[in-house]
Amino acid sequence: MISAVGIKRILFADIDKVTADITPEIAKTLIQAAITAKDEVKNVHGETWTIDETEASVTGYKNQLTGQTYRYDTTPGEVSPSFSIGQYDYKTKAELMGGEAIKKGGEGSDKDSLVGWRRAAGKVVINKALFCLTDDDVWFIFPNCQIVAREANTDKAIAIAVKGLVQEPEVEGVSSEYNYDEAEVKALAPEA
């Protein structure tokens, strides 16, 4: 049994990294690749982490002869993980908000020498896979989220408020959400 309490790790990847149904073994590979690429949120401000699912939209159809409902049409609600990043680097800001991380010395410089960020001109659409590990070691995996992020005032600082709009994956056979115990995935277990 799980409670899925709190959050202790959030990683992200480009959606093209998801090429098949996410088994625990594939989850391990994807998560470890995100860790290696340093595609990780390092700070979630306060108690801003949530997963919200809106109520389903239900339409009842009545039998005109009896006045009683004889069937329902149900449309599932939308799932949205969200959080605010209280402290971040320019690479993470560019990955989740778009725009460009500015390198010291210009293009071709070392990625570790980022000195700023430039907002994109025009509309930006960002899709990422999200890997979210709760305090009680449950992975919530969303293979295709449209990321909606903005700067937000949070306790006298400028945070990045992030909302993932869970979408149907582009790869056949891939679900929109997976939950796995870390004990099965073993993404964080030291190699023997």
Side-chain angles (χ1 to χ4, degrees), residues 13-157:
D14 291 333
I15 63 170
D16 64 0
K17 305 285 187 223
V18 178
T19 59
D21 185 33
I22 300 178
T23 63
E25 296 78 19
I26 290 174
K28 177 180 181 175
T29 301
L30 292 167
I31 291 163
Q32 288 179 338
I35 292 169
T36 300
K38 298 182 180 173
D39 290 338
E40 183 167 4
V41 172
K42 292 289 192 177
N43 175 298
V44 174
H45 178 77
E47 298 293 321
T48 58
W49 161 256
T50 65
I51 294 178
D52 292 316
E53 184 169 357
T54 59
E55 284 192 45
S57 171
V58 179
T59 303
Y61 296 96
K62 301 219 182 259
N63 177 339
Q64 191 174 7
L65 299 173
T66 64
Q68 300 296 310
T69 303
Y70 71 96
R71 72 176 172 92
Y72 291 95
D73 186 21
T74 305
T75 303
E78 296 173 356
V79 178
S80 302
S82 62
F83 51 93
S84 291
I85 307 172
Q87 190 175 41
Y88 45 88
D89 57 26
Y90 294 122
K91 175 189 177 290
T92 301
K93 188 170 188 174
E95 288 276 355
L96 299 177
M97 285 187 65
E100 177 185 356
I102 301 168
K103 298 174 184 171
K104 183 176 186 175
E107 199 60 38
S109 298
D110 181 25
K111 71 177 180 180
D112 293 331
S113 63
L114 299 176
V115 296
W117 173 79
R118 174 181 334 182
R119 186 179 291 275
K123 183 179 179 180
V124 176
V125 177
I126 298 171
N127 287 344
K128 296 285 182 190
L130 292 178
F131 307 90
C132 310
L133 182 63
T134 65
D135 288 337
D136 54 348
D137 289 328
V138 178
W139 283 105
F140 280 76
I141 301 171
F142 304 98
N144 186 7
C145 290
Q146 182 173 336
I147 302 297
V148 178
R150 62 183 172 81
E151 294 172 326
N153 289 323
T154 309
D155 296 322
K156 301 180 184 177

